[in-house]
């Protein structure tokens, strides 16, 4: 009984410490290797990019800003990690599959967008790429 209670306390304390650590310094957000290697089936043509832009204006701009720089009106109120700057060197070096997976799964304040059809999520990837020129 006593060890059981101690155990619960220890687990609760560990969770608390983990929670505090996560709030201050999020570990790097990594997609699984197979997701990273995923090939983008949508050509980066003007049509797909225009679709992505429209989707981003509707769903993402409040946090990521009108040009994807991570400075949308809701960004200031969010605790770190802040909405990503899609034009940053970090996002530039990520594979299409990596970005697609992150859009699909979300993390913390970043919502998951799995409910959007695959085609729409790849259009968002193509739009993000078009901003990185
Ligand atoms: C409610 C605010 C919010 C909305 C809306 C939102 N995001 Fe995010 N996004 C975030 C935050 C916060 C992060 C950083 C998450 C982290 O690092 O843990 C993020 C991170 C990302 C990243 C990861 C960049 C990287 O590689 O580290 C991508 C890509 C992204 N968002 C795309 C989108 C797209 C596309 C949409 C719209 C379909 C969207 N986001 C909508 C808040 C938001």
């Amino acid at each position: 009984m006593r060890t059981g209670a101690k155990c619960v306390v220890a687990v609760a304390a560990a969770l608390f410490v983990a929670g505090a650590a996560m709030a201050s310094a999020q570990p790097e957000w990594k997609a699984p290797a197979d997701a990273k290697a995923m090939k983008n089936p949508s050509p980066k043509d003007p049509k797909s990019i225009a679709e992505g832009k429209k989707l981003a204006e509707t769903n993402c701009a409040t946090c990521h800003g009108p040009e994807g720089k991570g400075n949308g009106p809701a960004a200031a109120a969010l605790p770190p990690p802040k909405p990503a700057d899609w034009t940053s060197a970090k996002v530039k070096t990520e594979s299409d599959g990596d970005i697609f997976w992150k859009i699909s799964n979300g993390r913390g304040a970043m919502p998951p967008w799995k409910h959007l059809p695959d085609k729409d999520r790849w259009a968002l990837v193509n739009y993000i790429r078009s901003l990185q020129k």
Side-chain angles (χ1 to χ4, degrees):
M1 281 288 253
R2 294 202 71 173
T3 35
K6 257 190 203 152
C7 199
V8 169
V9 171
V11 169
L15 285 176
F16 178 77
V17 171
M22 266 169 74
S24 56
Q26 279 274 19
E28 206 187 322
W29 189 13
K30 286 196 181 124
D34 57 338
K36 273 189 196 169
M38 227 184 329
K39 287 265 175 294
N40 183 345
S42 301
K44 292 182 176 59
D45 56 25
K47 187 168 167 280
S48 175
I49 291 169
E51 277 169 16
K53 183 173 197 278
K54 234 171 96 187
L55 286 159
E57 281 165 358
T58 312
N59 301 298
C60 326
T62 44
C63 290
H64 288 278
E67 278 109 38
K69 295 202 181 292
N71 58 355
L78 289 173
K82 292 286 185 185
D85 176 356
W86 295 339
T87 64
S88 66
K90 177 179 181 281
V91 180
K92 264 186 196 173
T93 54
E94 289 174 346
S95 67
D96 283 10
D98 200 347
I99 296 171
F100 180 85
W101 186 88
K102 286 176 182 173
I103 294 172
S104 306
N105 291 283
R107 180 172 86 161
M110 161 76 184
W113 298 94
K114 275 211 173 101
H115 56 285
L116 294 180
D118 280 25
K119 193 175 151 279
D120 287 3
R121 277 176 277 147
W122 286 117
L124 283 162
V125 171
N126 290 344
Y127 172 60
I128 289 173
R129 285 284 184 247
S130 77
L131 297 173
Q132 297 173 341
K133 303 253 158 74

